[in-house]
């Protein structure tokens, strides 16, 4: 069992409706020492490839993308949802369905921040149905940048996102893959991974 | 001139409508080396006081709050906007008007993450009208936690947020205070600060 799996068992809470609540350390309150270790572990798992930029999506991806960027000393770009008056640039736009908010979100990045010469590592806190990752990959493709891979803290292995990405030939590294969980007993089983 | 003022002069863009665009390094693409320096400088400015938690608001506050938390090795809590199915906890709720999005946002934190024993440093990327900071301070008060101060990357000194906070006795440290700016010439003047 790795450090993130151990943390999930210790402080994660399984809720009805297939919800794994980790907001005491990952996506509301952030355990910054844990986040550093996540950044280092994602760096380690992608140590055989080069990348010069980390791409994520607001909001909860920002902290983990920053952690990966810190240990690699490279910039983060976070895709934004919706539009603001401050975003007058040309943009790449993609659509992602949010099961949490039950609607389609348009996400975008300003064109100057994802270039054809960029080698991009996509990073996010969760992978479930894979909608956010697919939309981020779409942005990378539109920019004709190179996708190096996708680094995830927690993959919900019983949802199709991970399988879809792997079938599409995307290099996916998930630090913890939840194989099954049960709200009544609180039981969480992880997929075995080579360490 | 400090490092952040120099960076704003080099890479910030003044847009019509009183907009200072810094999304090439602060709130869309993130210059992670600059962010580390911002974290260290906010730590230095509050080095005479104790705090055990950094509070910010999603989304663009998360990277800078994480930077402050990294150098202090303490947790971040970010207040969320709106409601999600994953947030079934008891919450502290406050209202903040967003001039960017031209509507009131409800923001909240789950009660377990801001405790009466917490000494809170609020951190954000921008301070303009002060609506976000006021709402975060409201959350801290509701929790009966101690507010140590507010640390900001860029204060727009021609808007009333900073003056309101200082008049209310809040300790406010803004690394760069824009006194005036002009979209046509691109001119930016900073308020003089003791270094």
């Amino acid at each position: 069992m790795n450090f993130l799996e151990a943390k999930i068992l210790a402080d994660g809470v399984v809720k009805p409706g297939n919800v794994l609540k980790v907001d005491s350390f990952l996506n509301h309150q952030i355990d910054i020492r844990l986040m550093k270790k996540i950044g280092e572990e994602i760096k380690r798992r992608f140590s055989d490839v080069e990348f010069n930029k980390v791409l994520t999506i607001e909001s909860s991806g920002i902290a983990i993308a920053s952690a990966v960027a810190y240990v690699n000393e490279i910039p983060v770009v976070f895709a934004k949802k919706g539009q603001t008056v401050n975003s007058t640039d040309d943009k790449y736009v993609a659509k992602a369905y949010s099961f949490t908010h039950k609607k389609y979100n348009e996400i975008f990045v300003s064109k100057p921040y994802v270039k054809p010469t960029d080698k991009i590592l996509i990073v996010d806190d969760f992978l479930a149905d894979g909608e956010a990752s697919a939309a981020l990959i779409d942005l990378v493709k539109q920019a004709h940048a190179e996708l190096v891979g996708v680094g995830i803290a927690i993959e919900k292995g019983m949802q199709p996102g991970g399988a879809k990405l792997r079938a599409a030939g995307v290099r996916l590294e998930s630090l913890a893959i939840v194989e099954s969980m049960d709200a009544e007993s609180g039981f969480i089983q992880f997929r075995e991974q080579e360490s």
Side-chain angles (χ1 to χ4, degrees), chain A:
Chain A
M1 190 180 309
N2 68 31
F3 68 94
L4 182 57
E5 293 166 336
K7 182 71 175 178
I8 294 165
L9 287 189
D11 294 331
V13 179
V14 184
K15 295 273 193 180
N18 195 27
V19 172
L20 176 60
K21 203 164 166 294
V22 290
D23 68 357
S24 67
F25 58 92
L26 197 68
N27 51 17
H28 185 18
Q29 181 166 249
I30 298 166
D31 178 333
I32 213 77
R33 288 193 189 96
L34 182 86
M35 204 52 99
K36 274 187 190 176
K37 288 173 80 170
I38 290 173
E40 284 159 5
E41 175 62 10
I42 290 179
K43 177 180 182 176
R44 189 186 70 79
R45 294 212 188 181
F46 288 96
S47 58
D48 60 317
V49 285
E50 269 182 50
F51 51 96
N52 72 315
K53 203 166 271 186
V54 180
L55 177 66
T56 189
I57 183 168
E58 63 179 0
S59 296
S60 54
I62 295 173
I64 181 169
S66 293
V68 175
Y70 266 95
V71 290
N72 287 285
E73 297 222 310
I74 57 177
V76 174
V77 175
F78 63 90
K80 299 190 176 192
K81 295 169 183 167
Q83 306 236 345
T84 79
V85 293
N86 292 10
S87 311
T88 50
D89 284 338
D90 270 353
K91 305 173 192 72
Y92 301 112
V93 181
K95 280 192 180 173
Y97 186 76
S98 166
F99 289 89
T100 309
H101 298 96
K102 294 183 179 56
K103 62 172 183 181
Y104 276 94
N105 290 315
E106 279 205 341
I107 73 165
F108 68 90
V109 290
S110 293
K111 288 189 177 179
Y113 308 141
V114 185
K115 300 194 189 94
T117 49
D118 282 331
K119 297 171 191 286
I120 305 279
L121 180 67
I122 291 173
V123 167
D124 209 351
D125 57 341
F126 265 97
L127 173 67
D129 292 289
E131 289 287 321
S133 292
L136 290 170
I137 290 170
D138 187 359
L139 295 177
V140 172
K141 282 184 179 160
Q142 288 180 47
H144 301 287
E146 182 184 333
L147 175 69
V148 167
V150 177
I152 298 288
I154 304 175
E155 177 182 338
K156 291 165 90 177
M158 59 290 205
Q159 286 173 251
K164 278 193 281 188
L165 288 180
R166 290 183 184 97
V170 174
R171 177 163 171 183
L172 170 63
E173 296 280 350
S174 302
L175 304 199
I177 304 176
V178 176
E179 200 67 270
S180 66
M181 57 186 195
D182 181 67
E184 204 160 314
S185 64
F187 176 80
I188 301 173
Q189 180 165 19
F190 296 105
R191 190 178 302 171
E192 295 241 354
Q193 299 193 63
E194 292 171 41
S195 64

